[in-house]
Amino acid sequence: MTSLPLDGGLRWSLWAAALLLDMVSPWWVARHTHQVPPHPEHLPERFGLFTIILRGEAMAAVVHALDHGPALTSEALVAALGGAALAFMTWIGYFDLARASGERHVADARGGRSLRLWAYAHLALYLGIAGLAAGTVHLAGQGTLQAASRELLAIGLGLLMLGLSLLGLRASDVEGVARRLRRLAVGLALALPLLALSAQPSQPGVVLGVATVALGIQLAVLRIAGRAARS
């Protein structure tokens, strides 16, 4: 309401400040979450259901692009299959490796901060899923790869991998091999998409192949980290 009488840059600045306050304020009270902890199953269930819906909508968008494209070409089919492979790998990373839908118990201040990190990691994950879906839909409708599609896929892949890495963090992973491996997974999430961008391939199949390999490497690191944490 305060922004209504404003115009131009002042209104956008006020909106940006309000968004920043909304994003930062939960961290200020994170250390007090254990005093009135949320139900350990409620939030993971809701986030998990929304992840399933978003992943399904992304797949539906790819199929829609195939059905309404100018022509059904081999490049379009490769793009659709690559998008499906990335969708299945995202499912494995979220539910099996990161175990992001598991119960979230908050027993102390560290648990409260871990809950905030887990919740905000979904923002990167969801933006990544949307970016990958948009890039795949674009690829399904063109025979050659444009710079905008490549950048959209790389940014989406990076955000997706970053979200999975942060979701895989545990409040108990303070020291040891598991913690270092999870940090490595975060580094891979930032580095591998940049490498894919620098390669500048021209065929959709090559781009999606690089994306699949990059995500596969990160999932392997997360699997190793999970085994190390349980040993």
Side-chain angles (χ1 to χ4, degrees), residues 150 154 191-201:
R150 184 172 59 246
L192 289 178
L194 293 178
L195 291 176
L197 265 177
S198 63
Q200 296 186 352

Side-chain angles (χ1 to χ4, degrees), residues 35-148:
Q35 298 176 5
V36 187
H39 194 279
E41 296 180 359
H42 180 77
L43 287 177
E45 179 185 2
R46 294 300 182 268
F47 275 99
L49 288 174
F50 188 74
T51 301
I52 294 173
I53 293 172
L54 185 60
R55 188 66 270 182
E57 288 294 328
M59 285 297 301
V62 174
V63 175
H64 179 82
L66 286 176
D67 185 43
H68 292 77
L72 186 60
T73 63
S74 58
E75 289 82 3
L77 289 175
V78 168
L81 292 175
L86 290 172
F88 297 146
M89 295 172 71
T90 302
W91 180 285
I92 294 173
Y94 184 87
F95 289 101
D96 294 340
L97 300 181
R99 299 174 184 253
S101 60
E103 295 182 1
R104 310 294 300 188
H105 295 276
V106 180
D108 51 22
R110 180 183 295 170
R113 291 190 293 270
S114 176
L115 181 67
R116 293 299 189 279
L117 178 62
W118 170 83
Y120 277 87
H122 283 83
L123 177 61
L125 177 74
Y126 294 156
L127 289 175
I129 291 175
L132 277 179
T136 305
V137 168
H138 196 190
L139 288 178
Q142 61 184 24
T144 59
L145 185 65
Q146 299 177 2

Side-chain angles (χ1 to χ4, degrees), residues 172-198:
S172 59
D173 294 338
V174 180
E175 302 293 342
V177 177
R179 185 71 171 183
R180 290 193 292 271
L181 286 172
R182 295 189 194 282
R183 288 174 178 172
L184 174 61
V186 174
L188 289 173
L190 301 176
L192 289 178
L194 293 178
L195 291 176
L197 265 177
S198 63

Side-chain angles (χ1 to χ4, degrees), residues 89 92-93 96-98 161 164-166 168-170 173 176-190 192 212-230:
M89 295 172 71
I92 294 173
D96 294 340
L97 300 181
M161 295 172 66
L164 287 176
S165 297
L166 295 177
L169 292 173
R170 300 287 191 275
D173 294 338
V177 177
R179 185 71 171 183
R180 290 193 292 271
L181 286 172
R182 295 189 194 282
R183 288 174 178 172
L184 174 61
V186 174
L188 289 173
L190 301 176
L192 289 178
T212 303
V213 171
L215 184 56
I217 292 174
Q218 191 205 29
L219 295 185
V221 172
L222 288 175
R223 181 177 293 276
I224 296 172
R227 290 178 178 177
R230 291 191 294 270

